[in-house]
Amino acid sequence: MFQKKGLSSLNKSTTMFKDILIIPDIHGRTFWKKAVAEHHCEHVVFLGDYLDPYPYEQINNEQAIANFQEVIDYKLSHEKATTLLLGNHDMHYYSELFADLAMSSRYSSRYARRYKQMFHLHERLFQLAYETTYGGVNCLLTHAGVSTTWLRRYTTLPAHFGASDLNHLIESPQGIEALARIGDIRGGWDRAGSILWADWHEIDHDDPLDGWYQIFGHTQQESAPVITAHFACLDCRRAFTLSEVLRMAQ
């Protein structure tokens, strides 16, 4: 279980810790540009879902492509200081097997070829998970969060796994199959969703992930994040600093 002691330690000055800017689901939105311009953080982590804009937000696929290219350009210009995570709306263009097993809504057949070309060209820039320690708190960042039910039932990851173990899942068909698991709360047939598919309610009702404070997006909120002592779901169309998230979790 995540130790509350780690959060309590943040009551002390955190100026000694270099902060991280966290950008939740974009889906063609441009709020990330203002965020990176206004925050001078050591590192920027995008939580994935760069593509497949919502029609009601009046963002079209051409705009989403241009915005995604700007994200890639930003990564190339700040490569060591930027992490690009993959979301389910990215993986169905990134991996044909994933698309066959768990294609997401709003998949664009018309633009799929261009999206796939962009991922193929820049494949090395993307990963599934990122970990860091801030003020003694071990934080694990993924697109949708690690459900302990999914972890135990559908993966062979070690008990004391880390981000690198999750990142290796993308390298094998068995790993892709584990990533394609969708729980019934999201319309799937599996016991629990993967780090690309889990709904925040699955994380909330599951056992806390031992040793980690989880940060993810995926489950869109109207205006405010869902932040608990064990996890933070940040998908609400704005960026957050890691220090801000952990203070809100106290």
Side-chain angles (χ1 to χ4, degrees), residues 97-229:
L97 176 57
F98 184 89
D100 289 341
L101 296 172
M103 183 181 290
S104 305
S105 62
R106 304 195 308 282
Y107 179 90
S108 175
S109 298
R110 179 180 177 183
Y111 287 87
R113 182 177 178 182
R114 292 173 66 181
Y115 287 150
K116 291 175 183 178
Q117 288 174 338
M118 295 175 79
F119 279 116
H120 178 73
L121 182 62
H122 301 290
E123 182 178 359
R124 68 177 182 84
L125 302 182
F126 297 90
Q127 60 194 68
L128 292 168
Y130 176 82
E131 67 179 73
T132 190
T133 300
Y134 186 93
V137 180
N138 296 323
C139 300
L140 181 65
L141 286 71
T142 60
H143 174 64
V146 179
S147 156
T148 52
T149 297
W150 169 80
L151 187 70
R152 296 164 184 161
R153 189 176 183 88
Y154 300 115
T155 79
T156 57
L157 295 176
H160 300 290
F161 73 96
S164 62
D165 299 295
L166 292 171
N167 288 326
H168 285 313
L169 292 174
I170 207 168
E171 299 170 0
S172 69
Q174 294 79 13
I176 297 295
E177 289 174 3
L179 293 171
R181 299 291 180 173
I182 307 174
D184 59 4
I185 195 170
R186 286 277 176 162
W189 298 97
D190 299 296
R191 287 281 301 276
S194 75
I195 59 172
L196 298 176
W197 272 109
D199 190 276
W200 79 264
H201 293 90
E202 294 180 61
I203 310 297
D204 190 37
H205 295 150
D206 216 338
D207 294 332
L209 190 62
D210 188 32
W212 296 103
Y213 186 82
Q214 293 206 68
I215 298 173
F216 49 85
H218 183 59
T219 309
Q220 185 166 269
Q221 308 300 310
E222 277 302 315
S223 58
V226 177
I227 297 181
T228 76

Side-chain angles (χ1 to χ4, degrees), residues 55-70:
Y56 68 83
E57 292 187 336
Q58 298 183 330
I59 302 170
N60 61 44
N61 279 285
E62 288 291 345
Q63 292 169 319
I65 287 175
N67 190 52
F68 184 37
Q69 185 61 59
E70 289 188 72

